[in-house]
């Protein structure tokens, strides 16, 4: 599956900190929501590139952000930096 250029609607990604235990689960969520093959969005650099292709049409809702931060450690902070620099709109609950 590749990026669907016909669909220019916003992507909404919901990350539930209680359900995520590993980094690869985060990348899988983004790949599915952005219509990319999972191997295309397999690291933070690739995630940044994928966000760039979507422009400012990515909305990320993080539920139970405290739990997610505990589970992912420093990766959580870096993920937020990548999302912000990639122009994603973020809501942390």
């Amino acid at each position: 599956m590749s990026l669907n250029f016909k669909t220019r609607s916003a992507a909404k990604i919901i990350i539930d900190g209680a359900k995520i235990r590993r980094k690869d689960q985060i990348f899988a969520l983004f790949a599915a929501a952005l219509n990319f093959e999972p191997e295309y969005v397999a690291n933070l650099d690739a995630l940044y590139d994928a966000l760039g292709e979507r422009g400012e049409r990515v909305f990320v809702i993080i539920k139970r952000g405290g739990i997610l931060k505990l589970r992912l450690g420093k990766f959580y902070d870096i993920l937020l930096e990548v999302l912000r620099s990639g122009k994603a709109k973020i809501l942390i609950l």
Side-chain angles (χ1 to χ4, degrees), residues 7-27:
T7 304
R8 295 306 225 172
S9 61
K12 182 169 90 172
I13 299 141
I14 299 173
I15 302 171
D16 187 340
K19 295 180 180 178
I20 299 294
R21 298 200 180 277
R22 299 179 323 271
K23 294 184 260 185
D24 63 315
Q25 292 174 301
I26 296 283
F27 295 128

Side-chain angles (χ1 to χ4, degrees), residues 6-80:
K6 294 178 185 175
T7 304
R8 295 306 225 172
S9 61
K12 182 169 90 172
I13 299 141
I14 299 173
I15 302 171
D16 187 340
K19 295 180 180 178
I20 299 294
R21 298 200 180 277
R22 299 179 323 271
K23 294 184 260 185
D24 63 315
Q25 292 174 301
I26 296 283
F27 295 128
L29 281 173
F30 279 96
L34 299 175
N35 295 320
F36 285 104
E37 291 290 335
E39 56 274 1
Y40 184 81
V41 185
N43 59 56
L44 291 168
D45 288 333
L47 174 58
Y48 177 81
D49 292 342
L51 291 170
E53 289 191 30
R54 286 299 296 237
E56 296 183 5
R57 297 178 312 278
V58 178
F59 298 92
V60 180
I61 299 168
I62 300 175
K63 296 180 179 181
R64 298 174 189 93
I67 295 170
L68 189 62
K69 184 173 176 112
L70 284 173
R71 289 183 175 168
L72 298 180
K74 190 171 188 154
F75 177 81
Y76 175 85
D77 297 320
I78 297 168
L79 174 66
L80 291 182

